[in-house]
Amino acid sequence: MQTANAKISNMASAAREHMTICKAKVEEKVEKAAARTQEEKEMAKERRKAKEAQAKMELHQAKARHAAEKSSAKRTHHHCFLSE
């Protein structure tokens, strides 16, 4: 079971990714409206795709970082019993 902290962190990362993708789509629409040639429209589309891919990559990196933090937290909570 995921810890609440990791789950919230993953949800925040996913929301950030979604927001970045939405921004990229809006920017693409603006660029396409200003574009005069078909090549400029294609370039706008490719820039959007690159931004979406980068956002997805950042999401996966954040999830991996959260999993690593969770794993390291589990290892540090082991009790060490000292013999006297």
Side-chain angles (χ1 to χ4, degrees):
M1 186 172 145
Q2 269 187 329
T3 62
N5 191 17
K7 195 169 194 173
I8 290 171
S9 296
N10 286 341
M11 287 173 55
S13 297
R16 221 175 291 120
E17 177 210 13
H18 183 69
M19 195 170 64
T20 304
I21 289 173
C22 289
K23 282 182 185 178
K25 287 180 180 180
V26 169
E27 288 173 7
E28 178 193 13
K29 286 182 182 182
V30 170
E31 289 178 12
K32 278 188 172 182
R36 296 175 186 244
T37 65
Q38 187 63 30
E39 290 84 20
E40 289 176 343
K41 291 180 181 181
E42 270 304 308
M43 288 173 34
K45 183 177 180 180
E46 292 301 319
R47 276 194 287 274
R48 175 188 55 86
K49 286 182 179 180
K51 288 179 183 179
E52 286 180 3
Q54 183 178 2
K56 288 182 181 189
M57 178 191 65
E58 289 172 359
L59 171 68
H60 291 295
Q61 287 176 340
K63 282 187 173 183
R65 187 174 54 249
H66 299 151
E69 289 171 0
K70 179 182 170 188
S71 176
S72 67
K74 279 185 177 179
R75 279 187 261 144
T76 58
H77 287 121
H78 290 273
H79 297 288
C80 296
F81 295 102
L82 300 174
S83 60
E84 294 181 23

